[in-house]
Structure formats: structure tokens, C-alpha cells
Amino acid sequence: MSSTLSRSVFNREIREIYSKSLTLGDNWTLIVVDQNQDINYLEKSIQQLYLNEIITLIYHIIYSESFSVPVLYINIFKSNGSVFKYDEIYKFFSLKELDSDQEPILILTQQEHPILFKPFYYMHPCMTSHWMNQTKLGSDESFNFTLKWLSFVFSALRIPIDIKYALN
């Protein structure tokens, strides 16, 4: 059982998620970066009230060439245009930094976005394949691997995802 996927499978799966998003009235956008090389990603932007301030959350689902898995990139902007700092991101998602003898479940770090070349936080993909194997989420070929991964990641970050994505 493989818990990785090819770029072509990733692109097919994000198109499926995007199509379902249109049906559900969710606001994912399919971004086509390079049609010739079939480089695409999903983007979702939402605004919400947080600590008496309107913030903008941006989520990108991007394919990792190195790990052959989807990767979540996140940025959160305050109403004045400034980006959340590391400690603010961890507080917002209620994540805890663990002692050195504990293995973190989620690792959010900042790096340059691979397409936009701007700083973004991202969930490091090193554990994605391992998680997918552990939960047996990569075993059913008829179901969308990227959607399974997305529901797992969003759940861990306490980000709502419509259960109707799982329905045929």
C-alpha cells in the first residue's frame, strides 16, 4: 500500500475537491499555475472575527515534489495587513510546543511558498505518508487520498470541513 501519490493523481483529486466545493457552496478555488506542466493547487480564503479583529485566513493545498504528498500552506493576516507570527499561529490553532522527548503531531514552520515565493506557514510533509499508512487512509483506491489527508489535517487544526465532501 502506498501513501504517496503522483502529481497527476494529486491534480485529478484537487479538481474533484474543487468540483465538490462548487456543489457545496464552499469557497475553494482551483489555481492553474502552469497548464503545460499541469501544476495546480487549491486555495481557500476566509475571514473571521478573532480577538475582536477581522482576520483573513488563506489555505493552500500544494503538491510536494520531494515527498509526493499534499502539503497545507497557511497564512493569517490581521486587519492592518500584518501576518501572524509563529507564536500567534500556534495560539490560534491551539497547538502546543512539546518538550524535546515528545514527538509533535503537527509541525508548522515558516518557509517560502514554492509558487508565490512569499513567506507562508506550512505543515511539514515528513509525517504525511506515515500518518496515512497508520490510519489505513491510503488503501482505498476509489476514494480521494488528498481529501482524506485534508480532512485529517483540518481536523487536527480544528478547521471545519463539510462532511458532505465524503459523500458521493
Side-chain angles (χ1 to χ4, degrees):
M1 169 181 66
S2 174
S3 289
T4 61
L5 66 161
S6 67
R7 175 176 285 286
S8 62
V9 170
F10 171 79
N11 285 329
R12 177 180 48 80
E13 291 181 349
I14 64 171
R15 284 190 290 273
E16 289 172 10
I17 294 168
Y18 172 67
S19 177
K20 190 82 150 205
S21 166
L22 292 174
T23 303
L24 296 174
D26 206 356
N27 64 343
W28 284 102
T29 303
L30 180 65
I31 308 294
V32 177
V33 178
D34 186 333
Q35 199 163 8
N36 294 330
Q37 294 183 22
D38 204 20
I39 298 174
N40 308 301
Y41 67 93
L42 284 176
E43 176 181 85
K44 185 173 189 174
S45 178
I46 60 173
Q47 291 187 321
Q48 71 181 56
L49 185 62
Y50 177 69
L51 301 177
N52 296 320
E53 182 175 12
I54 300 289
I55 60 170
T56 302
L57 296 98
I58 299 176
Y59 305 112
H60 287 176
I61 309 302
I62 298 175
Y63 183 73
S64 168
E65 296 289 345
S66 303
F67 291 90
S68 299
V69 294
V71 178
L72 174 65
Y73 282 78
I74 302 169
N75 252 345
I76 304 177
F77 296 92
K78 298 176 184 178
S79 57
N80 67 6
S82 65
V83 179
F84 269 36
K85 295 178 181 155
Y86 180 80
D87 60 326
E88 292 172 309
I89 287 277
Y90 268 69
K91 183 178 178 183
F92 179 80
F93 289 114
S94 302
L95 299 174
K96 296 177 184 169
E97 294 196 56
L98 302 176
D99 297 332
S100 60
D101 61 332
Q102 295 176 304
E103 185 174 321
I105 295 172
L106 296 174
I107 303 170
L108 288 177
T109 56
Q110 194 175 44
Q111 81 165 16
E112 186 176 89
H113 190 287
I115 297 167
L116 301 178
F117 307 111
K118 296 178 181 179
F120 264 72
Y121 292 93
Y122 78 112
M123 193 183 86
H124 198 281
C126 65
M127 296 297 289
T128 299
S129 182
H130 172 73
W131 292 330
M132 299 305 246
N133 276 326
Q134 293 298 313
T135 58
K136 308 293 186 221
L137 291 176
S139 60
D140 182 1
E141 295 298 325
S142 68
F143 200 75
N144 186 313
F145 179 99
T146 304
L147 180 58
K148 293 174 192 179
W149 164 85
L150 182 62
S151 66
F152 178 80
V153 171
F154 269 29
S155 175
L157 290 171
R158 297 171 192 87
I159 301 168
I161 185 167
D162 194 326
I163 195 158
K164 292 177 186 168
Y165 276 101
L167 303 175
N168 289 332

